[in-house]
Amino acid sequence: NAKEDYSDTVAEGGYISQDPKAGETIRENQTVTVVYSKGHKPTTEEKNALAKAKDYSEMMHMSKQGIYDQLTSAYGEKFTAEEAQYAVDHLDD
């Protein structure tokens, strides 16, 4: 059984934990759960940047570079580079 959770210390897609723990004996038909990282939990501004990025992608069919430029522009959305990069990286999620 695979699950995902946010982690500030484990990169997205990385292994966080499993239950039962490695080396423990398991019973027949016992479920083993492995938890993988979704990366850090997005901030409110990263979520806002992603929402804007989806709008630009779906409605204006902009490229990821164009969306990034619009999100970071002083004449556009004024998101930080980190917030815009999060949005562009997660457009296809």
Side-chain angles (χ1 to χ4, degrees):
N1 188 15
K3 292 186 176 182
E4 292 182 318
D5 199 2
Y6 293 110
S7 174
D8 289 334
T9 57
V10 178
E12 187 172 346
Y15 165 86
I16 296 175
S17 65
Q18 71 183 47
D19 183 39
K21 306 260 185 264
E24 290 183 10
T25 304
I26 60 172
R27 300 179 314 275
E28 186 176 343
N29 297 323
Q30 182 178 359
T31 300
V32 175
T33 301
V34 179
V35 182
Y36 295 99
S37 177
K38 292 168 61 173
H40 77 276
K41 187 171 185 176
T43 65
T44 298
E45 285 304 305
E46 287 171 332
K47 289 178 188 177
N48 291 341
L50 179 55
K52 287 285 186 181
K54 286 181 179 180
D55 286 345
Y56 286 121
S57 178
E58 292 169 4
M59 299 174 107
M60 302 181 91
H61 307 287
M62 294 173 73
S63 69
K64 286 187 175 185
Q65 183 62 54
I67 292 169
Y68 178 89
D69 292 344
Q70 182 66 24
L71 292 175
T72 58
S73 171
Y75 303 103
E77 302 297 335
K78 300 180 185 176
F79 286 104
T80 67
E82 293 80 12
E83 293 160 350
Q85 190 62 55
Y86 174 87
V88 170
D89 289 347
H90 291 85
L91 260 177
D92 301 325
D93 292 353

